Amino acid sequence: MMTERLADMHVHSDASDGSFTPREVADLAIEAQLSAMALTDHDTVDGLTEIMEYTADKAIEVIPGVELSAYYKNREVHILGYYMDYTNEGLRRELDAMKKARLERNLRMIDLMQADGLPVTLEKLLHGNPDSVITRAHFARVLVEEGICRDKNQAFAKYIGIGCKYYLPKANMPAEKAMNIIAEYGKAAYLAHPLLYHFGYAQIEELLDYLKGYGLKGLEAYHSSNNRYESEKLSAIARKHGLKVSGGTDFHGVVKPNIKIGVGRGTMRIPYSFVEELKSCCQMN
């Protein structure tokens, strides 16, 4: 009897805001018996050389990816780039500029917190990884570790969520620029987890049509935050707009302890056929 081949097309490491190294992430994916996974760290490709070299002789296919933060109509959206040319110096310069802008925002957030006596420092946020791309998840972790919040949800709700006292927006990269970066240095752009932007389905369709004008290839219809109805609805929307469908757990490790690689909250099964669809739109074998 042939075993179903499975994948996870949205995974994070400690190169951004995950808790496991790229090697450890690969080992977890192999342990989960995945045929393929995509490493898609936030606004960085720094973990890709490590994972690609580590898995070169292992029984897993790794797609070099990235998750870019961008803005559409003043709303933050995330765009997944697949098969990124991660050693390209042009791409690294683009991402380094984003990292610099993010660092400046983070330092301002630290100053705001320290002014009110909150024990948040850059050292605590980096947690021994000086190359880490710090996100609000890092702030949430420190607030929990310092006993300020009981969990990351409370940290976002009371301290660092949009509209909270210590929230500052990231530098505003237009969605079209993110799409252009992926078009120049990668092979396919997919819109990530569309329901997390709090758009209605009609607004999601408008966004898809807009991004298709810049080369959008697919939609992440299956995500750990979706229920079955939502995933099927998004899959139908993708097909309606001539887009490929993907699925990913958005695994971060202990940062999101209820989300496991390959299975999300326990029931996700992302077919390898989604990877084959991705390859088909990239004209890859």
Side-chain angles (χ1 to χ4, degrees), residues 153-229:
N153 291 331
Q154 186 184 47
F156 274 87
K158 292 187 65 175
Y159 292 88
I160 56 174
I162 295 174
C164 293
K165 181 176 182 180
Y166 305 106
Y167 170 80
L168 292 174
K170 294 192 291 288
N172 190 334
M173 174 190 280
E176 55 267 25
K177 181 175 180 180
M179 293 294 298
N180 289 338
I181 290 173
I182 295 171
E184 184 168 358
Y185 301 108
K187 291 189 178 294
Y190 281 43
L191 179 66
H193 44 59
L195 295 181
L196 294 187
Y197 314 133
H198 304 293
F199 288 146
Y201 287 112
Q203 291 174 298
I204 291 172
E205 293 197 56
E206 290 176 6
L207 174 57
L208 293 177
D209 281 337
Y210 177 76
L211 294 179
K212 276 189 69 176
Y214 292 90
L216 187 73
K217 299 295 186 183
L219 174 66
E220 186 178 59
Y222 294 83
H223 184 264
S224 295
S225 63
N226 297 350
N227 61 38
R228 181 175 178 178
Y229 168 81

Side-chain angles (χ1 to χ4, degrees), residues 119-128 138 141-142 145-146:
V120 178
T121 66
L122 182 60
E123 182 180 12
K124 291 176 182 178
L125 292 169
L126 289 171
H127 201 56
H138 292 77
R141 173 182 56 76
V142 172
E145 290 174 350
E146 294 295 326

Side-chain angles (χ1 to χ4, degrees), residues 259-280:
I259 296 175
K260 308 299 182 185
I261 198 165
V263 296
R265 290 185 167 87
T267 59
M268 288 188 76
R269 295 179 68 82
I270 304 157
Y272 183 79
S273 61
F274 288 172
V275 176
E276 294 175 325
E277 286 193 30
L278 168 62
K279 290 180 176 181
S280 71

Side-chain angles (χ1 to χ4, degrees), residues 13-18 20 22 39 41-42 44-47 129 131-133:
S13 76
D14 68 354
S16 62
D17 59 344
F20 293 100
L39 185 62
D41 277 312
H42 293 285
T44 184
V45 293
D46 287 350
N129 184 1
D131 296 322
S132 180
V133 175

Side-chain angles (χ1 to χ4, degrees), residues 9 32-33 48 62 84 86 89 106 110 114 119 121 136 139 147 157 167 182 187 200 215 231 238 241 243 281 284:
M9 300 172 71
Q33 300 183 324
L48 289 175
V62 177
M84 301 302 294
Y86 58 93
E89 287 302 316
N106 291 334
I110 291 170
Q114 291 182 349
T121 66
R136 283 182 294 156
F139 282 90
Y167 170 80
I182 295 171
K187 291 189 178 294
S231 292
H241 289 263
L243 296 169
C281 73
M284 298 177 67

Side-chain angles (χ1 to χ4, degrees), residues 4-190:
E4 182 184 9
R5 301 181 71 192
L6 300 174
D8 193 337
M9 300 172 71
H10 189 161
V11 174
H12 295 276
S13 76
D14 68 354
S16 62
D17 59 344
S19 56
F20 293 100
T21 68
R23 289 188 179 200
E24 290 170 335
V25 168
D27 285 337
L28 289 170
I30 292 168
E31 183 180 338
Q33 300 183 324
L34 298 181
S35 293
M37 62 155 283
L39 185 62
T40 54
D41 277 312
H42 293 285
D43 303 329
T44 184
V45 293
D46 287 350
L48 289 175
T49 296
E50 177 182 332
I51 197 170
M52 299 304 288
E53 291 179 352
Y54 180 66
T55 58
D57 60 351
K58 292 182 169 55
I60 188 157
E61 178 183 346
V62 177
I63 300 164
V66 71
E67 183 176 9
L68 297 183
S69 304
Y71 282 81
Y72 167 79
K73 293 186 176 180
N74 296 316
R75 190 77 58 88
E76 183 175 343
V77 299
H78 291 181
I79 301 170
L80 295 162
Y82 291 118
Y83 294 107
M84 301 302 294
D85 184 7
Y86 58 93
T87 63
N88 189 292
E89 287 302 316
L91 173 60
R92 289 185 172 275
R93 283 194 297 271
E94 292 277 10
L95 297 180
D96 283 346
M98 294 175 65
K99 184 185 293 188
K100 181 180 178 181
R102 187 189 289 264
L103 175 61
E104 291 171 354
R105 184 280 300 259
N106 291 334
L107 292 174
R108 289 164 56 210
M109 287 178 64
I110 291 170
D111 287 343
L112 288 174
M113 291 180 169
Q114 291 182 349
D116 286 345
L118 296 176
V120 178
T121 66
L122 182 60
E123 182 180 12
K124 291 176 182 178
L125 292 169
L126 289 171
H127 201 56
N129 184 1
D131 296 322
S132 180
V133 175
I134 297 172
T135 70
R136 283 182 294 156
H138 292 77
F139 282 90
R141 173 182 56 76
V142 172
L143 289 170
V144 173
E145 290 174 350
E146 294 295 326
I148 307 300
C149 298
R150 64 176 178 272
D151 55 34
K152 72 178 184 67
N153 291 331
Q154 186 184 47
F156 274 87
K158 292 187 65 175
Y159 292 88
I160 56 174
I162 295 174
C164 293
K165 181 176 182 180
Y166 305 106
Y167 170 80
L168 292 174
K170 294 192 291 288
N172 190 334
M173 174 190 280
E176 55 267 25
K177 181 175 180 180
M179 293 294 298
N180 289 338
I181 290 173
I182 295 171
E184 184 168 358
Y185 301 108
K187 291 189 178 294
Y190 281 43

